[in-house]
Amino acid sequence: MIQFLLGCDSFYANLDLMEDSEALGDAMALYEKYFSMQATNMIDLGAAIRAEMEPLICEESGRPNRKAFRTARTACFYRLHDKYLSDFLKTSYYQNYLGELQSFIDFTVELPRKVRNRAASSSDVASSTDSLTHAFSRHIEVLEKKMNDKDEPRTPTNWSPSQRSTPRTPRSSQLAEIDEMGRYHALYDD
């Protein structure tokens, strides 16, 4: 099912770039591999879904319909989610992956010196997670204070020469960001 979902994603991503015959060939390859009666890796979703798929693949225009695999794709997704995901999340493989990911973050993400020294002195993952949480909480408090100071109107009674506004870029108010691929990127230097 995962191979079919990946194949579907690839098919849909390239569908607009393919000629009619090439698109039909790719759609037929997916159908024959996973859904036909002679399929090598049969995914049994029932005759109704197969019957819905066939006319959408072989339309009169000679080009497969963009909705040809939509129902099968959705059914595979929900079957994987309902039947396998909760069991997978309990496996030692997934737990080991989370541990490796935590170690990777601990050893590659540069924290501010004060927090980094405290996190480095402890080998306990929970301790370093608490340090990260504390660092982020402290950073949010500082940002809120700056925003509150910024919102107050400056009048001669509450303004002093030592209070200067420092120009900030939009990114300077964040410690890090998560990109569209789910990767963590620090936005500051030591």
Side-chain angles (χ1 to χ4, degrees):
M1 282 189 258
I2 291 173
Q3 287 177 340
F4 168 67
L5 291 174
L6 292 173
C8 259
D9 288 346
S10 176
F11 173 73
Y12 287 130
N14 297 318
L15 184 60
D16 294 332
L17 305 173
M18 293 187 272
E19 294 182 15
D20 293 348
S21 61
E22 187 180 8
L24 182 59
D26 285 0
M28 287 302 296
L30 279 172
Y31 175 79
E32 289 173 0
K33 183 172 183 179
Y34 299 107
F35 299 105
S36 74
M37 298 304 278
Q38 300 82 19
T40 55
N41 298 325
M42 178 83 156
I43 298 174
D44 187 15
L45 298 177
I49 291 178
R50 188 172 54 247
E52 175 189 325
M53 205 180 315
E54 290 170 353
L56 293 173
I57 292 172
C58 301
E59 288 195 323
E60 289 182 24
S61 67
R63 184 169 189 84
N65 190 312
R66 181 167 282 285
K67 298 175 184 178
F69 298 109
R70 183 175 61 187
T71 305
R73 186 172 180 251
T74 303
C76 284
F77 175 78
Y78 282 118
R79 184 179 289 177
L80 283 170
H81 181 271
D82 295 343
K83 189 172 181 179
Y84 299 106
L85 184 63
S86 62
D87 291 338
F88 172 71
L89 295 178
K90 296 174 189 171
T91 64
S92 61
Y93 297 113
Y94 181 69
Q95 298 304 317
N96 290 342
Y97 169 73
L98 289 179
E100 289 173 12
L101 186 60
Q102 180 66 42
S103 296
F104 176 76
I105 290 171
D106 289 343
F107 292 113
T108 59
V109 174
E110 293 278 336
L111 295 175
R113 289 193 189 282
K114 184 176 177 183
V115 176
R116 183 176 350 127
N117 292 339
R118 190 169 55 222
S121 67
S122 171
S123 61
D124 185 21
V125 172
S127 173
S128 64
T129 303
D130 292 341
S131 297
L132 281 172
T133 305
H134 176 70
F136 288 130
S137 299
R138 180 70 183 126
H139 182 69
I140 289 172
E141 289 171 11
V142 169
L143 288 177
E144 287 175 349
K145 183 177 180 332
K146 285 183 180 179
M147 292 305 288
N148 289 338
D149 290 346
K150 193 176 187 180
D151 291 339
E152 284 184 19
R154 291 204 171 147
T155 62
T157 57
N158 70 353
W159 184 82
S160 68
S162 63
Q163 292 178 326
R164 288 186 295 194
S165 65
T166 56
R168 292 187 298 152
T169 62
R171 296 180 86 173
S172 68
S173 64
Q174 299 176 345
L175 284 175
E177 68 182 3
I178 305 295
D179 69 6
E180 64 277 353
M181 299 298 289
R183 294 176 294 211
Y184 178 91
H185 297 285
L187 298 176
Y188 56 87
D189 296 326
D190 277 352

